[in-house]
Amino acid sequence: MEYVVTTRDLTKTFGKFTAVDKLTMQIKAGEIYGFLGPNGAGKSTTIRMLCGILEPTSGFGQVMGYDLAKEAEKIKTRIGYMSQKFSLYDDLTVYENLYFYAGLYSLPVDDRRKRIDEMIEMARLKGREKELAAHLSGGWKQRLALGCAILSKPDILFLDEPTSGISPTSRKMFFNIIQELANHGTTIMVTTHFMDEAERCSNIAFISDGRLIANDTPDHLKRNVIQGALVELELSNPMERLPAIEAIPYVKECSIHGSLLHVLLEEDRNVAEIESFVGSRANPITPSLEDVFITLARQRRKEISHE
């Protein structure tokens, strides 16, 4: 099995602060690897190390067989990188932005026009070539930024919160494009806080306080992380009822999901008991990735409190 990214105990500190703490992971060629975690968990720092932008403090890392500490410049020639800030030039047109990046990647002049046309087609920007980037909506800018990032046909594409601040329709379209790239062999590592996007990843890593706390397929995580009977309660005043429900001995976890409560019980026989306690039906549900994420984050908080 070919791994295009391998790390062992990869660590990055800034003074006394540890941003990434002994991270060990492997990413297979051609997969969409989701990297999830709360703000400040270490996701962006990890990606910047893997891109050769930040030098690791300690540990080992390889991208496409190149050593992170010694061959960062070689890594940069094989990857594409896109952050939520979209590295576009607002005073340049769509075409000019793409042409600028084509020069940056040293694409042969003869190939530039063809490759730029392909990116305009991919980004659904046909007819907007002369429009200034500043005048594009968030979704259009996002797809143009992706086009700039993959002009050089990178082996690996690193996407750092690429869908923040854009509409659900644009997010869905963007992920369809990502899926297509993966189908054609590009390896993609993406950080996201949208669980519907995480569901579409081949593999998911959860990171908290710089530490990897889970790494598996979405289905395996949903089956293995949450132990017990998960039910959904629809109550008129969920926030007010939450403390009393959390205090019940057979309730392992309780969390708010919009107007609903998700309650994790010790076992199936507790379903009737919780229904009696709240005076409402408890509907058994299959755990979502959001439930997994909440469970993992709570487990991590407990670990920290005992350290």
Side-chain angles (χ1 to χ4, degrees):
M1 187 181 299
E2 187 193 351
Y3 292 108
V4 291
V5 174
T6 302
T7 71
R8 279 197 309 275
D9 294 333
L10 192 66
T11 300
K12 181 65 182 176
T13 58
F14 297 96
K16 292 182 180 178
F17 174 67
T18 302
V20 177
D21 192 3
K22 295 179 179 174
L23 185 70
T24 297
M25 64 181 189
Q26 293 176 310
I27 301 177
K28 294 180 218 165
E31 77 174 340
I32 301 178
Y33 189 89
F35 204 42
L36 278 64
N39 290 337
K43 302 187 300 293
S44 295
T45 302
T46 300
I47 281 192
R48 285 176 191 142
M49 281 194 285
L50 295 177
C51 289
I53 298 168
L54 275 180
E55 192 176 338
T57 305
S58 62
F60 169 81
Q62 263 190 351
V63 174
M64 301 302 300
Y66 297 122
D67 188 290
L68 287 186
K70 300 170 187 171
E71 300 173 293
E73 292 309 310
K74 290 179 181 176
I75 289 169
K76 289 174 188 173
T77 65
R78 302 284 297 275
I79 65 167
Y81 170 66
M82 177 183 160
S83 75
Q84 63 191 56
K85 290 176 183 155
F86 304 158
S87 306
L88 299 173
Y89 293 90
D90 280 348
D91 54 346
L92 297 182
T93 65
V94 166
Y95 187 88
E96 287 166 345
N97 264 286
L98 287 163
Y99 195 85
F100 171 78
Y101 275 96
L104 211 59
Y105 289 125
S106 303
L107 287 188
V109 176
D110 294 346
D111 295 343
R112 284 184 196 183
R113 178 76 207 192
K114 178 175 179 290
R115 190 64 184 148
I116 288 170
D117 285 346
E118 287 172 358
M119 293 303 94
I120 287 168
E121 192 72 37
M122 178 279 298
R124 326 283 203 264
L125 284 165
K126 201 83 175 160
R128 292 176 177 260
E129 292 92 337
K130 294 180 181 178
E131 198 167 328
L132 288 176
H135 297 162
L136 297 174
S137 69
W140 296 110
K141 276 187 176 180
Q142 176 213 44
R143 294 200 295 280
L144 174 57
L146 177 65
C148 292
I150 63 173
L151 261 170
S152 63
K153 298 185 179 177
D155 296 294
I156 306 180
L157 181 59
F158 292 99
L159 304 171
D160 194 5
E161 297 281 1
T163 57
S164 291
I166 61 169
S167 71
T169 305
S170 292
R171 287 202 296 111
K172 188 175 180 182
M173 187 184 290
F174 184 81
F175 239 78
N176 287 342
I177 294 169
I178 289 175
Q179 188 69 64
E180 211 170 295
L181 289 170
N183 291 345
H184 286 91
T186 306
T187 305
I188 294 158
M189 182 177 187
V190 56
T191 70
T192 180
H193 57 269
F194 295 110
M195 295 302 147
D196 58 327
E197 292 179 355
E199 289 276 6
R200 297 179 67 175
C201 296
S202 336
N203 217 63
I204 294 174
F206 281 94
I207 187 172
S208 180
D209 299 300
R211 290 190 186 177
L212 192 67
I213 54 175
N215 186 3
D216 213 330
T217 65
D219 285 345
H220 283 176
L221 284 167
K222 286 184 283 189
R223 279 203 301 268
N224 300 331
V225 169
I226 295 180
Q227 303 294 318
L230 187 66
V231 297
E232 191 173 71
L233 299 175
E234 188 170 356
L235 304 174
S236 57
N237 50 351
M239 282 296 288
E240 292 168 31
R241 304 286 297 274
L242 191 139
I245 293 169
E246 281 186 318
I248 299 170
Y250 56 78
V251 170
K252 297 171 79 173
E253 285 176 16
C254 186
S255 57
I256 294 273
H257 292 252
S259 61
L260 303 166
L261 281 181
H262 284 197
V263 184
L264 183 60
L265 307 168
E266 290 279 359
E267 47 193 325
D268 290 335
R269 68 182 178 85
N270 299 134
V271 175
E273 295 174 67
I274 194 77
E275 287 180 333
S276 174
F277 181 84
V278 299
S280 177
R281 178 165 170 74
N283 297 310
I285 55 171
T286 303
S288 67
L289 274 181
E290 192 170 354
D291 295 311
V292 170
F293 185 60
I294 289 168
T295 298
L296 289 169
R298 283 190 174 163
Q299 286 173 0
R300 177 67 188 135
R301 282 199 296 273
K302 283 177 189 170
E303 285 172 18
I304 290 171
S305 66
H306 290 108
E307 284 178 359

